[in-house]
Amino acid sequence: MTSSAVQLLGYALTLIGLVASMIATNMVEWKRHSYTESTVTSKETYLGLWMSCTVDATKHTMCVNYKSLFHLPAEILTTRVVMILSVLLSAVGVLVATLGMRCTRCLEEDEEEKDRVAIVGGFLFIIAGVLAISVTSWFANAIIQSFEFSDSPTSLHNRFEFGNAVLVSWAAGICSVVGGSLLGCRCLRSCPKGSLSVSSFTQPKVVPGTRLGTHYV
């Protein structure tokens, strides 16, 4: 597979990861609980990062936005903040990676600089994906821990399971990490040895025939 094709594949995966992260952040099914005593008293409760919803036996849905940050569980508040950060990093990564794509005209006069920009975009996606996977895994573990230790008759009615948003967030993080890796690793291979050193980012380019101090190049 050519370098441009790998770049396009990685870019497509990162876009999928960004869209999936935005969808997961706004989904209400991060935690869910089903309670059924009879067909009349059945109820489903969903907790998201921004609101909670209740569905009764008649399939009537009522959603309520969280009114205060101080009354939110730690896993919901932390997951909200980290997912927003992941989405923002992915959005910046899209802009940076677009400049470094070989199918775009930006920076086309300098292919090495273009590859370096694509690598930076890939690293941003990898960081965003790792954040999404880490906080989602921590969120799911918190639900599992509370489920395992809820043995009293009262707490049995408050047992929550992780919902579809957790699965979407995991998938988003994986797509971001894989896509960012394809962008970065392929560009690293195509860059000449030594072109990605620290000095290559800091030292100005010298054009032959120009004066440098008291000497000519």
Side-chain angles (χ1 to χ4, degrees):
M1 187 178 291
T2 64
S3 179
S4 298
V6 173
Q7 264 196 345
L8 287 174
L9 176 60
Y11 189 74
L13 287 174
T14 55
L15 285 180
I16 293 173
L18 172 59
V19 173
S21 294
M22 295 173 64
I23 293 174
T25 304
N26 288 280
M27 286 178 69
V28 75
E29 296 183 25
W30 280 84
K31 298 171 69 174
R32 66 182 181 184
H33 167 69
S34 298
Y35 173 72
T36 304
E37 277 192 354
S38 65
T39 56
V40 180
T41 59
S42 63
K43 183 178 69 172
E44 294 180 356
T45 302
Y46 299 96
L47 297 182
L49 304 182
W50 308 94
M51 67 179 68
S52 62
C53 294
T54 303
V55 183
D56 58 21
T58 63
K59 301 301 179 182
H60 174 72
T61 304
M62 183 179 66
C63 296
V64 179
N65 292 318
Y66 299 135
K67 296 181 179 179
S68 175
L69 294 175
F70 302 103
H71 296 91
L72 291 177
E75 64 269 16
I76 289 181
L77 183 59
T78 304
T79 304
R80 179 199 289 189
V81 173
V82 176
M83 287 301 296
I84 291 175
L85 180 59
S86 176
V87 170
L88 292 176
L89 284 175
S90 294
V92 175
V94 167
L95 298 177
V96 175
T98 301
L99 297 176
M101 293 290 291
R102 297 197 173 185
C103 58
T104 61
R105 289 180 169 272
C106 301
L107 303 174
E108 62 181 354
E109 66 279 355
D110 191 342
E111 290 187 359
E112 293 182 13
E113 186 70 22
K114 199 174 183 68
D115 287 337
R116 285 195 288 266
V117 172
I119 291 170
V120 172
F123 284 158
L124 288 175
F125 279 116
I126 292 174
I127 295 173
V130 169
L131 286 176
I133 293 173
S134 300
V135 76
T136 305
S137 300
W138 175 75
F139 184 90
N141 182 69
I143 296 175
I144 293 172
Q145 293 294 326
S146 62
F147 188 91
E148 290 178 348
F149 292 103
S150 300
D151 295 328
S152 63
T154 304
S155 60
L156 288 176
H157 299 299
N158 296 320
R159 279 185 169 180
F160 282 89
E161 303 173 351
F162 55 83
N164 295 330
V166 173
L167 303 178
V168 175
S169 182
W170 269 329
I174 292 172
C175 287
S176 295
V177 171
V178 174
S181 299
L182 290 177
L183 283 173
C185 293
R186 196 63 185 180
C187 291
L188 281 172
R189 290 182 179 180
S190 62
C191 287
K193 186 177 181 181
S195 63
L196 294 178
S197 61
V198 176
S199 60
S200 64
F201 288 92
T202 57
Q203 290 182 354
K205 295 183 178 180
V206 180
V207 179
T210 56
R211 187 173 184 178
L212 185 62
T214 59
H215 302 281
Y216 286 91
V217 179

